[in-house]
Amino acid sequence: MTIPVDLKYTKEHEWVRIEGDVATFGISDHAQEALGDIVFVELPEVGRTVDAGEACAVVESVKAVSDMYAPVAGEVIEVNEALESSPEQVNTNPYGTGWIAKVKMSGDTAELLSDDEYNTFLEE
Amino acid sequence: MSDVGANKLAKTSLHEEHIRLDGKMVPFAGFDMPVQYSAGALKEYHVVRDDGAGLFDISHMGQVRVTGADSLKFLQYVTTNDVSKVVDGQVQYSGLLNTEGTFIDDITTYRISGNEYYLCINAANRHKDVAHLQEKAAHFDVAVADESDDTTLLALQGAKAQSMLQPLVDTDLESIGYYKFAQVHVNRKTAIISRTGYTGEDGFEIYIPNSIAVEVWRQLLAGGAGPIGLAARDMLRTEMGYALYGHEISAAVTPVEAKLMWITRLEKGDFIGRNAVIARKAEGPKKRLIALKLTGRGIPREHYKVYVDGKESGEITSGMHSPMAGGVALAYVKPEHAESGELSVVIRNKHVPAERTTTPFVRSNVRR
């Protein structure tokens, strides 16, 4: 299981990449492994405004339906439409081609965990 | 397999093998069973569907032996299908009904001889079934023995099942036809092997004593079979549209609703539930089972509501994302909606359009 050092994390097992005022997010390696084979992703609508912690996407594995929560507040500016035809990328490349959406941030990122903090959280 | 008390989960003889193979263990019908192994449910599904063979531990299921001069008479009375049509070495799919005509269980009946039959029953219904059968047996010259604790049941399913199983068996498997069985020797121990299954692929169900469970399991894996967990098993059976107790079949439905009149032979004479089924047939089913396919995006899942022409009509009993057929499901709807009306499935408060289809949802490869 990998936890890249250049990303931020949430306790709901999302990762976030901050570039300027844009946050790209997906689910962590730990989360994809726990969910098992992902067979469907429901993406948020572009243009939608989300609060931090608001359910904004759905990831479905063979057996389970899981809500995904926006890690930061802002406006959804782009979604990974490739996941509609190949949702398995969330399993095979969770931090890369398995990204879910990009948000133009309106709030802060103080609540996010560092890689070390996320690792500690997983061990608890 | 052995029960170990009300609160603890029972373990099959292969429990340690599942742990060794990194099985993700979950409670299922009172047993601690693997929902998937390290390969994951989708890969396991493909092992069975695409040209390989998958090995399933289904020892949680129960086995009951019926012996005695009245065996046929007894089984004609307690099961729905016509047991007089079954010959030695043949397997028959059937049901156990209560006097209301609803299902106690669905079962398979193996005819060993005219006065010896072997029943395979669902794990969750085992104690209920055995109590029911033993109570009814009091009026017949039969003995009903629950052999579940002594028996390991494996399923080997897929195109390569026969070639992988043959080296372990002293009988030519080619001689066993679909829904036929033979009493054979596996590693010199007496076993029953039937050409049956729950996947829509060619394959076998293998009843062996617990004492050789681990060695046979390991031999079949060494021969190239892949271990398959409950998640892939459910995908495979749902794609075939096979009914599952607790989903399509339950104490809330009769064979009239469950589309199982083909195993309910009213003309054979009296049996438990017959009068109630005749009455239900006359008044018409309360709901009807349909097969549907989403035309919009999404995965139809159990308990999701089904609407017809904008009004709630019923709900999904089994649903899945089929790698070949997409979002497919079995659902009960109001009788008047079984054939016509615009279908939709409610997924997270949104109506996703669907259309009626037929089962199996993907091609069956069983050897007829």
Side-chain angles (χ1 to χ4, degrees):
Chain A
M1 189 191 63
T2 60
I3 304 176
V5 297
D6 57 331
L7 302 179
K8 299 283 190 188
Y9 299 87
T10 71
K11 289 184 178 176
E12 281 77 38
H13 306 286
E14 284 115 13
W15 58 265
V16 191
R17 176 178 287 116
I18 311 279
E19 291 161 312
D21 63 353
V22 174
T24 304
F25 63 91
I27 68 170
S28 72
D29 194 21
H30 169 84
Q32 69 77 18
E33 199 172 308
L35 286 170
D37 295 313
I38 309 292
V39 290
F40 184 82
V41 178
E42 189 174 293
L43 299 164
E45 274 174 41
V46 173
R48 175 175 162 188
T49 305
V50 291
D51 284 329
E54 184 179 332
C56 71
V58 178
V59 175
E60 298 199 36
S61 67
V62 169
K63 292 305 277 183
V65 181
S66 305
D67 277 320
M68 195 181 163
Y69 304 94
V72 292
E75 183 193 337
V76 177
I77 54 167
E78 195 180 341
V79 296
N80 186 3
E81 283 168 8
L83 297 182
E84 293 190 349
S85 54
S86 49
E88 69 279 1
Q89 292 181 85
V90 175
N91 293 118
T92 55
N93 195 358
Y95 300 114
T97 55
W99 66 279
I100 304 280
K102 293 184 183 186
V103 167
K104 188 170 165 43
M105 292 187 288
S106 61
D108 63 30
T109 60
E111 295 292 310
L112 299 176
L113 307 176
S114 71
D115 58 308
D116 277 344
E117 288 166 333
Y118 182 57
N119 196 21
T120 305
F121 172 70
L122 286 181
E123 282 165 5
E124 275 166 7
Chain B
M1 301 312 315
S2 44
D3 275 21
V4 287
N7 298 317
K8 275 193 180 164
L9 292 173
K11 294 173 180 173
T12 75
S13 298
L14 295 165
H15 190 266
E16 281 182 29
E17 299 301 299
H18 301 321
I19 302 290
R20 202 190 310 276
L21 291 163
D22 207 14
K24 195 182 208 176
M25 306 303 285
V26 298
F28 184 79
F31 285 80
D32 194 36
M33 297 299 282
V35 67
Q36 63 171 54
Y37 299 90
S38 51
L42 270 183
K43 283 208 176 77
E44 292 167 22
Y45 159 92
H46 282 293
V47 164
V48 178
R49 270 285 179 266
D50 313 341
D51 208 30
L55 182 60
F56 306 69
D57 176 16
I58 50 172
S59 304
H60 53 295
M61 298 190 76
Q63 292 79 34
V64 173
R65 196 177 297 267
V66 176
T67 51
D70 282 349
S71 292
L72 174 59
K73 224 165 97 186
F74 170 69
L75 289 171
Q76 285 290 61
Y77 181 62
V78 295
T79 72
T80 56
N81 214 332
D82 187 352
V83 188
S84 74
K85 296 280 196 312
V86 186
V87 299
D88 290 357
Q90 189 178 357
V91 188
Q92 182 183 60
Y93 182 49
S94 193
L96 300 180
L97 302 184
N98 55 36
T99 50
E100 277 81 58
T102 65
F103 282 95
I104 296 171
D105 204 358
D106 64 326
I107 67 168
T108 46
T109 304
Y110 290 62
R111 176 172 156 138
I112 293 170
S113 71
N115 51 24
E116 184 175 5
Y117 292 82
Y118 193 65
L119 312 179
C120 187
I121 62 180
N122 277 302
N125 297 329
R126 172 185 163 194
H127 296 293
K128 180 181 71 173
D129 289 1
V130 170
H132 171 76
L133 292 170
Q134 285 179 337
E135 185 202 320
K136 301 303 170 196
H139 310 288
F140 295 85
D141 180 13
V142 289
V144 171
D146 181 357
E147 297 186 358
S148 312
D149 286 343
D150 309 315
T151 310
T152 289
L153 176 54
L154 302 177
L156 185 66
Q157 303 277 300
K160 294 205 171 71
Q162 183 167 321
S163 61
M164 286 182 191
L165 180 58
Q166 187 64 71
L168 282 63
V169 186
D170 66 348
T171 299
D172 182 7
L173 294 173
E174 192 59 36
S175 66
I176 304 175
Y178 186 60
Y179 263 70
K180 299 284 174 26
F181 72 95
Q183 299 196 83
V184 304
H185 291 93
V186 173
N187 293 356
R188 291 181 299 283
K189 291 278 202 307
T190 307
I192 287 177
I193 291 181
S194 54
R195 195 183 290 271
T196 50
Y198 206 40
T199 63
E201 298 299 325
D202 187 28
F204 299 90
E205 290 177 311
I206 307 152
Y207 300 79
I208 52 178
N210 293 339
S211 60
I212 59 168
V214 171
E215 64 188 63
V216 171
W217 174 265
R218 289 183 180 176
Q219 282 170 311
L220 289 170
L221 293 183
I228 313 295
L230 294 169
R233 179 171 166 82
D234 197 51
M235 291 176 71
L236 292 157
R237 78 94 193 163
T238 301
E239 276 190 337
M240 286 300 116
Y242 293 156
L244 174 61
Y245 196 91
H247 296 253
E248 291 73 34
I249 305 173
S250 70
V253 299
T254 75
V256 183
E257 282 84 21
K259 270 191 171 171
L260 287 173
M261 288 309 290
W262 65 276
I263 62 163
T264 307
R265 309 312 305 192
L266 298 172
E267 74 285 1
K268 74 171 176 170
D270 190 31
F271 62 90
I272 300 170
R274 180 174 182 263
N275 291 340
V277 172
I278 290 171
R280 181 63 57 86
K281 216 181 149 197
E283 77 203 17
K286 302 227 162 159
K287 52 189 182 180
R288 281 175 71 185
L289 193 63
I290 62 164
L292 64 86
K293 178 178 177 356
L294 292 191
T295 50
R297 293 189 75 242
I299 303 180
R301 294 184 184 266
E302 190 183 0
H303 301 311
Y304 285 6
K305 299 292 178 210
V306 176
Y307 276 59
V308 177
D309 294 332
K311 290 204 182 88
E312 185 173 332
S313 181
E315 69 174 41
I316 288 173
T317 51
S318 297
M320 68 176 298
H321 172 76
S322 161
M324 280 183 278
V328 295
L330 300 171
Y332 275 111
V333 294
K334 291 179 178 167
E336 63 270 27
H337 296 148
E339 315 273 333
S340 64
E342 214 43 43
L343 282 181
S344 64
V345 175
V346 182
I347 302 180
R348 294 182 284 277
N349 301 319
K350 273 184 269 184
H351 285 266
V352 179
E355 61 189 20
R356 288 170 194 76
T357 183
T358 52
T359 58
F361 294 109
V362 306
R363 191 169 72 101
S364 166
N365 294 313
V366 298
R367 197 197 282 199
R368 297 268 177 200

